[in-house]
Amino acid sequence: MAGPLRTQVELPTLDAAQNKRLKQLEEELRCLVCQNQNLADSNAELAGDLRNIVHRMIADNHSDQAIKDFLVERYGDFVLYDPPVQRNTWVLWGGPFLMLGLGAGVWTIIQRRQRRALAASANAAPIDGSARERARALLADTNADSPADDPRASR
């Protein structure tokens, strides 16, 4: 059994300037179903209904701001692709800058620690000959005891 039939709604005709406004508004308004598509690109039923509402409001000579205000009142700021800066959107607008600053701060701290470690190792007392010979002997003993040199390890 087929789903319900959608009837074609007769929309008022628009002149060229009104059509341009309609296209611009369709690009600026978000589809509430698709979320990452604007009204112009969405095939969702709700997007079609919103396009019809915008079309009628333009035909009735409502301003672009009045149309946006109507849709925001009805659906919230989410319907706008470019939401206004207000208390509830501070994180949205400031979050990327906050993360950038935090990353720069962490990077700076790491760089300072590396510079200090390099400076400390450069200022360290040089190893005397007897300590160097002991280290070589220890390394030689460790390498001699490694299983890679043991012929029994390959079996």
Side-chain angles (χ1 to χ4, degrees), residues 10-122:
E10 189 67 32
L11 295 171
T13 57
L14 301 175
D15 62 26
Q18 289 174 322
N19 262 327
K20 185 178 178 182
R21 283 182 53 213
L22 175 65
K23 296 301 177 202
Q24 184 177 351
L25 280 171
E26 286 177 348
E27 294 288 328
E28 294 175 13
L29 298 171
R30 183 188 315 266
C31 173
L32 299 171
V33 176
C34 306
Q35 296 184 2
N36 283 332
Q37 283 186 315
N38 57 32
L39 290 184
D41 296 336
S42 176
N43 293 327
E45 267 186 57
L46 180 60
D49 292 342
L50 290 174
R51 281 192 297 267
N52 291 342
I53 290 170
V54 171
H55 188 108
R56 288 181 198 286
M57 291 181 80
I58 287 175
D60 291 341
N61 291 321
H62 287 83
S63 70
D64 290 357
Q65 191 58 48
I67 294 169
K68 287 179 187 178
D69 289 345
F70 170 77
L71 292 173
V72 166
E73 182 180 318
R74 197 166 189 186
Y75 300 106
D77 286 329
F78 188 73
V79 77
L80 302 174
Y81 254 119
D82 192 16
V85 179
Q86 40 190 38
R87 264 189 190 180
N88 61 343
T89 60
W90 282 351
V91 173
L92 174 70
W93 288 104
F97 298 108
L98 181 66
M99 296 304 285
L100 182 65
L102 186 64
V106 168
W107 183 80
T108 301
I109 290 169
I110 290 171
Q111 293 299 313
R112 284 182 182 169
R113 285 183 181 172
Q114 286 179 344
R115 271 189 252 130
R116 282 187 202 138
L118 283 173
S121 67

